[in-house]
Amino acid sequence: KEKSFKGGAIALFATNNMPPTNTEALTTIGNLYDVLAILFEKAQTDIQSTKKKLTNTRPSTARLDSYFNLAKHYFNLLAKHYPEIDSFFKATNKKVVTSKNRGSFGGHILFRPMGLEIFTTIVATLTNKGMSLEKAVDATSKLPHNLNEPPYEGLIWDSKTKRILGTSNKVSLREILLYMLNASKWGEQELLERYRKETGDDRELPKPVVID
């Protein structure tokens, strides 16, 4: 069944910054644009294209339909493999679901614009390593998702101040998550050194996850 962004599911802000006062939307319209750009440009699909073609040339109606269908398919897959996302799309009152997954307590990584962008990039990367889109989404569902857990805590989330630390460590986070899926372009030692430097302590890399 098609999932819906109706009823306040998307905050109409052109940036990736979700106002703390918004306790309803999954993400912002600006972030949705970026997520779909990653999906259309970087994921291995039949309609993969370049940013130049996507932004400078209006596709045919049939191709626009294909992009729309791919976008729907992607979010349907997120809902299929993430119960929290499924609950969000199904909810009549989306605030009830969002308030459980985003707040000063931390919450689910996909309820943060940065998290949705990072996970979509990971999905795209996995499709270029031979995985289907669905298998790639399923693989990411095996990763930790709570901001208070490694590798998020101390890297992009401060559990003491209860806030996002910013985007400066976004690349390291992405590569650590890819390492956990045996797909990082960086070596283990380089990742470990960056992880320790950016968190400011001698923690170890999270253990890889098992993919069915």
Side-chain angles (χ1 to χ4, degrees):
K1 184 179 179 180
E2 179 183 334
K3 304 304 175 184
S4 173
F5 278 115
K6 296 178 181 178
I10 298 295
L12 299 180
F13 296 98
T15 71
N16 281 324
N17 297 321
M18 178 69 76
T21 54
N22 189 303
T23 58
E24 181 175 18
L26 175 65
T27 190
T28 68
I29 191 69
N31 179 246
L32 180 61
Y33 177 91
D34 291 342
V35 165
L36 293 181
I38 293 167
L39 183 66
F40 298 156
E41 295 169 29
K42 297 182 179 180
Q44 185 69 254
T45 67
D46 293 338
I47 55 172
Q48 185 177 13
S49 189
T50 64
K51 182 176 182 179
K52 184 177 181 180
K53 287 183 179 179
L54 287 169
T55 56
N56 294 349
T57 305
R58 188 185 189 282
S60 65
T61 300
R63 195 163 182 83
L64 284 173
D65 287 342
S66 295
Y67 286 126
F68 184 55
N69 289 333
L70 176 58
K72 290 192 295 183
H73 180 53
Y74 177 60
F75 280 95
N76 282 336
L77 288 176
L78 287 179
K80 178 180 178 180
H81 293 283
Y82 288 86
E84 300 86 353
I85 300 295
D86 189 42
S87 294
F88 174 82
F89 282 125
K90 288 178 177 177
T92 302
N93 184 350
K94 298 192 183 301
K95 287 186 178 181
V96 173
V97 179
T98 303
S99 63
K100 292 179 180 178
N101 290 285
R102 184 176 68 237
S104 59
F105 55 88
H108 198 289
I109 184 65
L110 290 189
F111 281 75
R112 303 282 177 162
M114 178 165 51
L116 194 55
E117 179 187 339
I118 290 172
F119 269 60
T120 302
T121 301
I122 292 172
V123 167
T125 300
L126 294 177
T127 65
N128 285 279
K129 294 181 179 291
M131 284 191 188
S132 66
L133 190 64
E134 176 159 14
K135 181 67 176 177
V137 172
D138 180 46
T140 65
S141 73
K142 314 297 184 189
L143 293 166
H145 302 130
N146 192 313
L147 286 173
N148 287 293
E149 296 180 271
Y152 312 109
E153 207 291 314
L155 198 59
I156 65 164
W157 176 253
D158 189 328
S159 58
K160 294 180 180 179
T161 61
K162 301 183 184 301
R163 65 183 181 89
I164 292 287
L165 293 172
T167 61
S168 60
N169 298 334
K170 184 168 68 173
V171 173
S172 293
L173 174 60
R174 182 194 69 211
E175 290 303 319
I176 289 171
L177 292 170
L178 280 167
Y179 160 80
M180 296 174 72
L181 297 171
N182 194 33
S184 176
K185 62 184 178 182
W186 295 346
E188 184 174 342
Q189 188 59 37
E190 181 180 2
L191 275 172
L192 179 60
E193 290 174 1
R194 290 182 67 120
Y195 191 34
R196 289 178 172 177
K197 179 180 179 181
E198 292 172 3
T199 57
D201 59 42
D202 291 331
R203 64 183 66 190
E204 298 297 326
L205 288 169
K207 292 182 180 180
V209 298
V210 177
I211 303 175
D212 296 333

Short mmCIF file of all heavy atoms in Angstrom, two decimals, residues 88-129:
data_model
loop_
_atom_site.label_atom_id
_atom_site.label_comp_id
_atom_site.label_asym_id
_atom_site.label_seq_id
_atom_site.Cartn_x
_atom_site.Cartn_y
_atom_site.Cartn_z
N PHE A 88 4.33 5.88 11.64
CA PHE A 88 4.19 7.30 11.32
C PHE A 88 3.26 7.49 10.13
O PHE A 88 2.34 8.32 10.18
CB PHE A 88 5.57 7.90 11.00
CG PHE A 88 5.51 9.32 10.53
CD1 PHE A 88 5.40 10.36 11.45
CD2 PHE A 88 5.53 9.62 9.18
CE1 PHE A 88 5.32 11.67 11.01
CE2 PHE A 88 5.45 10.94 8.74
CZ PHE A 88 5.35 11.97 9.66
N PHE A 89 3.47 6.75 9.07
CA PHE A 89 2.64 6.91 7.87
C PHE A 89 1.18 6.51 8.13
O PHE A 89 0.26 7.10 7.57
CB PHE A 89 3.21 6.10 6.71
CG PHE A 89 4.38 6.75 6.04
CD1 PHE A 89 5.58 6.07 5.90
CD2 PHE A 89 4.30 8.04 5.53
CE1 PHE A 89 6.67 6.66 5.28
CE2 PHE A 89 5.38 8.64 4.90
CZ PHE A 89 6.58 7.95 4.78
N LYS A 90 0.98 5.54 8.98
CA LYS A 90 -0.37 5.05 9.24
C LYS A 90 -1.13 5.92 10.24
O LYS A 90 -2.37 5.86 10.31
CB LYS A 90 -0.31 3.61 9.77
CG LYS A 90 0.06 2.58 8.71
CD LYS A 90 0.13 1.19 9.33
CE LYS A 90 0.43 0.14 8.28
NZ LYS A 90 0.57 -1.22 8.88
N ALA A 91 -0.40 6.71 11.02
CA ALA A 91 -1.03 7.46 12.10
C ALA A 91 -1.94 8.57 11.59
O ALA A 91 -1.58 9.32 10.69
CB ALA A 91 0.04 8.05 13.01
N THR A 92 -3.09 8.67 12.21
CA THR A 92 -3.98 9.81 11.95
C THR A 92 -3.43 11.05 12.64
O THR A 92 -3.41 12.14 12.06
CB THR A 92 -5.40 9.51 12.47
OG1 THR A 92 -5.88 8.33 11.83
CG2 THR A 92 -6.34 10.67 12.17
N ASN A 93 -2.97 10.86 13.87
CA ASN A 93 -2.32 11.94 14.60
C ASN A 93 -0.82 11.66 14.63
O ASN A 93 -0.33 10.89 15.45
CB ASN A 93 -2.88 12.02 16.03
CG ASN A 93 -2.31 13.18 16.82
OD1 ASN A 93 -1.37 13.84 16.39
ND2 ASN A 93 -2.88 13.43 17.98
N LYS A 94 -0.09 12.29 13.71
CA LYS A 94 1.33 11.98 13.55
C LYS A 94 2.17 12.47 14.72
O LYS A 94 3.27 11.96 14.97
CB LYS A 94 1.84 12.54 12.22
CG LYS A 94 1.12 11.91 11.03
CD LYS A 94 1.78 12.23 9.72
CE LYS A 94 1.00 11.65 8.54
NZ LYS A 94 0.84 10.19 8.62
N LYS A 95 1.66 13.45 15.47
CA LYS A 95 2.39 13.94 16.63
C LYS A 95 2.62 12.84 17.66
O LYS A 95 3.65 12.83 18.34
CB LYS A 95 1.63 15.09 17.28
CG LYS A 95 1.68 16.40 16.49
CD LYS A 95 1.02 17.52 17.27
CE LYS A 95 1.11 18.83 16.52
NZ LYS A 95 0.50 19.95 17.27
N VAL A 96 1.68 11.93 17.77
CA VAL A 96 1.79 10.85 18.75
C VAL A 96 3.01 9.99 18.44
O VAL A 96 3.77 9.60 19.34
CB VAL A 96 0.52 9.98 18.75
CG1 VAL A 96 0.70 8.76 19.64
CG2 VAL A 96 -0.68 10.79 19.21
N VAL A 97 3.23 9.70 17.15
CA VAL A 97 4.37 8.87 16.74
C VAL A 97 5.67 9.66 16.79
O VAL A 97 6.68 9.19 17.31
CB VAL A 97 4.14 8.29 15.33
CG1 VAL A 97 5.34 7.44 14.90
CG2 VAL A 97 2.86 7.46 15.29
N THR A 98 5.64 10.87 16.22
CA THR A 98 6.86 11.68 16.17
C THR A 98 7.39 11.99 17.56
O THR A 98 8.60 11.94 17.80
CB THR A 98 6.59 12.99 15.40
OG1 THR A 98 6.11 12.68 14.10
CG2 THR A 98 7.87 13.80 15.25
N SER A 99 6.51 12.29 18.50
CA SER A 99 6.94 12.63 19.85
C SER A 99 7.63 11.46 20.56
O SER A 99 8.40 11.65 21.48
CB SER A 99 5.76 13.12 20.68
OG SER A 99 4.79 12.09 20.83
N LYS A 100 7.34 10.24 20.10
CA LYS A 100 7.99 9.06 20.66
C LYS A 100 9.36 8.81 20.04
O LYS A 100 10.18 8.07 20.59
CB LYS A 100 7.12 7.82 20.44
CG LYS A 100 5.83 7.81 21.23
CD LYS A 100 5.04 6.54 20.92
CE LYS A 100 3.72 6.50 21.69
NZ LYS A 100 2.92 5.29 21.34
N ASN A 101 9.60 9.42 18.87
CA ASN A 101 10.81 9.13 18.11
C ASN A 101 11.75 10.31 17.90
O ASN A 101 12.82 10.16 17.35
CB ASN A 101 10.43 8.55 16.75
CG ASN A 101 9.84 7.18 16.84
OD1 ASN A 101 10.55 6.20 17.06
ND2 ASN A 101 8.52 7.07 16.68
N ARG A 102 11.33 11.49 18.36
CA ARG A 102 12.21 12.67 18.26
C ARG A 102 11.93 13.61 19.42
O ARG A 102 10.77 13.95 19.69
CB ARG A 102 12.00 13.40 16.93
CG ARG A 102 12.97 14.59 16.75
CD ARG A 102 12.84 15.26 15.39
NE ARG A 102 11.58 15.96 15.22
CZ ARG A 102 10.70 15.73 14.25
NH1 ARG A 102 10.93 14.79 13.36
NH2 ARG A 102 9.59 16.43 14.17
N GLY A 103 13.00 14.00 20.10
CA GLY A 103 12.84 14.92 21.22
C GLY A 103 14.16 15.10 21.95
O GLY A 103 15.21 14.62 21.50
N SER A 104 14.11 15.77 23.10
CA SER A 104 15.33 16.02 23.87
C SER A 104 15.93 14.73 24.41
O SER A 104 17.10 14.71 24.81
CB SER A 104 15.03 16.98 25.03
OG SER A 104 14.05 16.42 25.89
N PHE A 105 15.15 13.66 24.39
CA PHE A 105 15.65 12.35 24.84
C PHE A 105 16.48 11.66 23.78
O PHE A 105 17.09 10.63 24.03
CB PHE A 105 14.46 11.46 25.21
CG PHE A 105 13.45 11.31 24.11
CD1 PHE A 105 13.58 10.32 23.15
CD2 PHE A 105 12.38 12.21 24.01
CE1 PHE A 105 12.65 10.20 22.13
CE2 PHE A 105 11.45 12.09 22.99
CZ PHE A 105 11.59 11.08 22.04
N GLY A 106 16.50 12.20 22.57
CA GLY A 106 17.23 11.58 21.46
C GLY A 106 16.28 11.04 20.43
O GLY A 106 15.76 11.78 19.60
N GLY A 107 16.03 9.74 20.50
CA GLY A 107 15.07 9.15 19.59
C GLY A 107 15.68 8.44 18.40
O GLY A 107 16.87 8.12 18.38
N HIS A 108 14.85 8.22 17.39
CA HIS A 108 15.21 7.43 16.22
C HIS A 108 15.95 8.28 15.19
O HIS A 108 15.52 9.38 14.86
CB HIS A 108 13.94 6.85 15.60
CG HIS A 108 14.16 5.69 14.69
ND1 HIS A 108 14.75 5.84 13.44
CD2 HIS A 108 13.89 4.37 14.83
CE1 HIS A 108 14.80 4.64 12.85
NE2 HIS A 108 14.29 3.75 13.68
N ILE A 109 17.04 7.75 14.66
CA ILE A 109 17.88 8.48 13.72
C ILE A 109 17.11 8.92 12.47
O ILE A 109 17.37 9.99 11.92
CB ILE A 109 19.12 7.63 13.33
CG1 ILE A 109 20.07 8.40 12.41
CG2 ILE A 109 18.70 6.30 12.70
CD1 ILE A 109 20.71 9.59 13.04
N LEU A 110 16.13 8.14 12.02
CA LEU A 110 15.41 8.50 10.79
C LEU A 110 14.40 9.62 11.01
O LEU A 110 13.86 10.15 10.03
CB LEU A 110 14.71 7.27 10.20
CG LEU A 110 15.61 6.20 9.60
CD1 LEU A 110 14.79 5.16 8.86
CD2 LEU A 110 16.66 6.79 8.67
N PHE A 111 14.17 9.99 12.25
CA PHE A 111 13.30 11.12 12.52
C PHE A 111 14.09 12.43 12.63
O PHE A 111 13.55 13.45 13.06
CB PHE A 111 12.47 10.87 13.78
CG PHE A 111 11.30 9.96 13.53
CD1 PHE A 111 11.47 8.59 13.37
CD2 PHE A 111 10.02 10.48 13.42
CE1 PHE A 111 10.39 7.74 13.13
CE2 PHE A 111 8.93 9.64 13.18
CZ PHE A 111 9.12 8.27 13.03
N ARG A 112 15.35 12.36 12.22
CA ARG A 112 16.21 13.54 12.11
C ARG A 112 16.58 13.71 10.64
O ARG A 112 17.00 12.73 9.99
CB ARG A 112 17.48 13.36 12.94
CG ARG A 112 17.24 13.08 14.41
CD ARG A 112 16.88 14.33 15.17
NE ARG A 112 16.56 14.04 16.57
CZ ARG A 112 16.55 14.96 17.54
NH1 ARG A 112 16.85 16.22 17.25
NH2 ARG A 112 16.23 14.62 18.78
N PRO A 113 16.47 14.91 10.08
CA PRO A 113 16.81 15.10 8.66
C PRO A 113 18.19 14.57 8.30
O PRO A 113 18.36 13.92 7.26
CB PRO A 113 16.72 16.63 8.50
CG PRO A 113 15.67 17.03 9.49
CD PRO A 113 15.89 16.14 10.67
N MET A 114 19.19 14.83 9.15
CA MET A 114 20.53 14.34 8.87
C MET A 114 20.56 12.82 8.80
O MET A 114 21.24 12.23 7.95
CB MET A 114 21.52 14.85 9.93
CG MET A 114 22.94 14.34 9.70
SD MET A 114 24.23 15.21 10.64
CE MET A 114 23.59 15.18 12.30
N GLY A 115 19.83 12.17 9.68
CA GLY A 115 19.80 10.72 9.68
C GLY A 115 19.16 10.16 8.44
O GLY A 115 19.66 9.18 7.85
N LEU A 116 18.07 10.76 7.99
CA LEU A 116 17.40 10.29 6.79
C LEU A 116 18.31 10.45 5.58
O LEU A 116 18.36 9.56 4.71
CB LEU A 116 16.10 11.08 6.60
CG LEU A 116 15.08 10.55 5.60
CD1 LEU A 116 14.68 9.10 5.91
CD2 LEU A 116 13.85 11.44 5.57
N GLU A 117 19.06 11.53 5.55
CA GLU A 117 20.00 11.75 4.44
C GLU A 117 21.14 10.73 4.48
O GLU A 117 21.50 10.13 3.45
CB GLU A 117 20.58 13.16 4.53
CG GLU A 117 21.59 13.47 3.43
CD GLU A 117 22.27 14.81 3.62
OE1 GLU A 117 21.71 15.67 4.33
OE2 GLU A 117 23.37 14.99 3.06
N ILE A 118 21.72 10.52 5.66
CA ILE A 118 22.83 9.57 5.78
C ILE A 118 22.39 8.15 5.43
O ILE A 118 23.08 7.45 4.67
CB ILE A 118 23.41 9.61 7.21
CG1 ILE A 118 24.15 10.92 7.46
CG2 ILE A 118 24.35 8.42 7.45
CD1 ILE A 118 24.59 11.12 8.90
N PHE A 119 21.26 7.73 5.93
CA PHE A 119 20.80 6.37 5.66
C PHE A 119 20.45 6.18 4.18
O PHE A 119 20.68 5.10 3.63
CB PHE A 119 19.61 6.02 6.56
CG PHE A 119 20.02 5.38 7.85
CD1 PHE A 119 20.85 6.05 8.75
CD2 PHE A 119 19.61 4.09 8.17
CE1 PHE A 119 21.25 5.46 9.93
CE2 PHE A 119 20.02 3.48 9.36
CZ PHE A 119 20.84 4.17 10.24
N THR A 120 19.94 7.21 3.53
CA THR A 120 19.65 7.10 2.10
C THR A 120 20.95 6.98 1.31
O THR A 120 21.03 6.22 0.34
CB THR A 120 18.83 8.30 1.62
OG1 THR A 120 17.61 8.38 2.38
CG2 THR A 120 18.47 8.16 0.14
N THR A 121 21.97 7.71 1.73
CA THR A 121 23.28 7.60 1.08
C THR A 121 23.85 6.19 1.27
O THR A 121 24.44 5.61 0.34
CB THR A 121 24.27 8.64 1.65
OG1 THR A 121 23.75 9.95 1.44
CG2 THR A 121 25.63 8.53 0.96
N ILE A 122 23.67 5.63 2.45
CA ILE A 122 24.13 4.26 2.70
C ILE A 122 23.38 3.27 1.81
O ILE A 122 23.98 2.37 1.22
CB ILE A 122 23.96 3.90 4.19
CG1 ILE A 122 24.92 4.73 5.04
CG2 ILE A 122 24.18 2.41 4.43
CD1 ILE A 122 24.70 4.60 6.54
N VAL A 123 22.08 3.44 1.72
CA VAL A 123 21.27 2.58 0.84
C VAL A 123 21.78 2.67 -0.59
O VAL A 123 21.98 1.64 -1.26
CB VAL A 123 19.78 2.97 0.91
CG1 VAL A 123 19.00 2.31 -0.23
CG2 VAL A 123 19.19 2.57 2.25
N ALA A 124 22.02 3.88 -1.07
CA ALA A 124 22.51 4.07 -2.44
C ALA A 124 23.87 3.39 -2.63
O ALA A 124 24.11 2.75 -3.65
CB ALA A 124 22.61 5.56 -2.75
N THR A 125 24.74 3.54 -1.63
CA THR A 125 26.07 2.91 -1.70
C THR A 125 25.95 1.40 -1.81
O THR A 125 26.65 0.75 -2.62
CB THR A 125 26.90 3.28 -0.46
OG1 THR A 125 27.06 4.71 -0.39
CG2 THR A 125 28.29 2.63 -0.52
N LEU A 126 25.07 0.81 -1.03
CA LEU A 126 24.89 -0.65 -1.05
C LEU A 126 24.34 -1.14 -2.38
O LEU A 126 24.69 -2.24 -2.83
CB LEU A 126 23.98 -1.07 0.10
CG LEU A 126 24.51 -0.84 1.52
CD1 LEU A 126 23.47 -1.23 2.56
CD2 LEU A 126 25.81 -1.61 1.76
N THR A 127 23.48 -0.33 -3.02
CA THR A 127 22.96 -0.76 -4.34
C THR A 127 24.06 -0.79 -5.38
O THR A 127 23.97 -1.53 -6.36
CB THR A 127 21.83 0.17 -4.84
OG1 THR A 127 22.34 1.48 -5.09
CG2 THR A 127 20.67 0.23 -3.85
N ASN A 128 25.11 -0.01 -5.18
CA ASN A 128 26.23 -0.01 -6.10
C ASN A 128 27.24 -1.11 -5.77
O ASN A 128 28.27 -1.24 -6.43
CB ASN A 128 26.93 1.35 -6.10
CG ASN A 128 26.13 2.40 -6.87
OD1 ASN A 128 26.19 2.46 -8.09
ND2 ASN A 128 25.36 3.22 -6.17
N LYS A 129 26.92 -1.89 -4.75
CA LYS A 129 27.74 -3.06 -4.40
C LYS A 129 26.97 -4.35 -4.66
O LYS A 129 27.28 -5.39 -4.11
CB LYS A 129 28.19 -2.96 -2.94
CG LYS A 129 29.14 -1.80 -2.68
CD LYS A 129 29.59 -1.77 -1.24
CE LYS A 129 30.56 -0.63 -0.99
NZ LYS A 129 31.87 -0.85 -1.66
#
